[in-house]
Amino acid sequence: MSPSFGVFFGGLIAVVLLILFASTTGYMVVMVVGQCAAIGNCPPASPDFGKGLIYVVTTVGGLVSALVIAQLSVIQPGAQARLGNFLPTSTAGIYTTNTVVALYLLVWIATGLSALVVGVMFYPDRSSTLSDIGTTWLGLAVSAAYAYFGIKPEAKAEREPEATRDAAASTVVTELKAEIDANRIVFDPGKADQLTMELLGTGSGTKATAKLQALVLALVKVKSPLRISSIIRPGGHHEVGRAVDIGNEDIASALLPTIATNAKVAALKIDEIIFDATTAGQADANIWNYDGGSKHTYDAVTLADHKDHIHFAVTA
């Protein structure tokens, strides 16, 4: 196979993925704007889009964004653009490559920006899927800029004052307490005091990690009330404060389609999701399950232990 054919074929796949991402996101933006403009306001609504569309747009969006970041990481600021490892030398090749790369980046930026403006800034409560696309794109756009300019975000994190990190953690705890006070986060009977201390970190001993607290806050913003049945207990992620069990499993069909996506799992630093989805009427028991941050198929024994609650765990 000639190098030029490989570049053409790979580029064709990348363009097809971009078209799929841009068209599906554009459709969602048009639908949300049209509905909200028609009724004059935009109250929260049940998901307007099918599971297939949501799966495609989140998965393809992640692939396209990863490609953009990879492309920008190999281009030095002010240097000639390239397609993969192909660096053009002729005038026509340089012009064509620059055009393709520029158009690709512009379409990606326009698509993500429209999702951010419509789904996050203007109508944040109408479609959680569009909102997720916008917020995820914003984070990836920052990563793309870091990649292009060779900036390492971890270097900033190392210089970040301890007080700033403490303030961010304190904000999450404050919001969690407000959700508890409003009965949007509830607990199994007889466990409220203990689980509240574990979640907010006000008790002695092992407590929920900052990542787990952030995850619980994200979950309750998708669906409430959220009933917590277990946080700290012997074994696995629970023992170190990195796991939570949601006892009102009846909310799975409303909660998990939004949370159990590759983009959301990465954004929320989710390690595991374990739930027997047949309990929620799904044919595939593992349709929403993750392990190590990737889609996973659990065996029958594991699934049998997760019919009456949804298990979430975060990374270390």
Side-chain angles (χ1 to χ4, degrees), residues 48-72:
D48 297 311
F49 310 107
K51 295 178 181 177
L53 178 66
I54 293 173
Y55 175 78
V56 168
V57 73
T58 53
T59 301
V60 174
L63 293 173
V64 170
S65 297
L67 178 61
V68 169
I69 294 173
Q71 173 68 27
L72 290 176

Side-chain angles (χ1 to χ4, degrees), residues 13-249:
I13 294 176
V15 169
V16 169
L17 290 175
L18 179 65
I19 292 173
L20 188 58
F21 173 56
S23 60
T24 50
T25 303
Y27 166 75
M28 296 172 74
V29 168
V30 170
M31 289 290 291
V32 168
V33 172
Q35 291 167 354
C36 293
I39 62 179
N41 56 36
C42 225
S46 58
D48 297 311
F49 310 107
K51 295 178 181 177
L53 178 66
I54 293 173
Y55 175 78
V56 168
V57 73
T58 53
T59 301
V60 174
L63 293 173
V64 170
S65 297
L67 178 61
V68 169
I69 294 173
Q71 173 68 27
L72 290 176
S73 66
V74 299
I75 300 177
Q76 297 297 322
Q80 168 60 40
R82 64 172 67 193
L83 296 176
N85 293 323
F86 173 71
L87 185 63
T89 54
S90 66
T91 302
I94 292 173
Y95 177 79
T96 301
T97 300
N98 287 341
T99 302
V100 170
V101 172
L103 288 176
Y104 199 96
L105 294 176
L106 287 173
V107 172
W108 178 75
I109 291 171
T111 302
L113 190 58
S114 64
L116 180 68
V117 171
V118 174
V120 178
M121 298 173 65
F122 286 173
Y123 310 117
D125 298 323
R126 185 62 186 182
S127 172
S128 59
T129 302
L130 191 62
S131 178
D132 290 343
I133 293 172
T135 53
T136 301
W137 174 86
L138 180 61
L140 292 171
V142 173
S143 298
Y146 281 150
Y148 180 67
F149 291 106
I151 301 172
K152 295 183 178 180
E154 61 271 18
K156 179 184 177 183
E158 291 170 358
R159 297 192 302 267
E160 185 181 19
E162 189 70 29
T164 302
R165 293 194 292 271
D166 290 345
S170 177
T171 300
V172 172
V173 170
T174 301
E175 291 189 48
L176 285 173
K177 188 176 185 305
E179 298 291 345
I180 294 172
D181 292 341
N183 291 320
R184 287 189 289 268
I185 295 179
V186 297
F187 306 95
D188 273 4
K191 298 182 178 180
D193 291 342
Q194 182 62 35
L195 290 173
T196 298
M197 289 190 294
E198 291 174 358
L199 178 61
L200 300 182
T202 56
S204 59
T206 307
K207 61 192 70 175
T209 65
K211 288 181 183 178
L212 187 65
Q213 291 173 332
L215 172 61
V216 172
L217 185 59
L219 295 178
V220 75
K221 289 183 181 297
V222 174
K223 183 65 179 177
S224 65
L226 196 73
R227 178 163 61 84
I228 296 176
S229 58
S230 177
I231 299 178
I232 308 301
R233 57 180 170 80
H237 294 78
H238 284 281
E239 193 165 8
V240 291
R242 288 167 46 201
V244 62
D245 291 336
I246 306 304
N248 53 330
E249 69 282 352

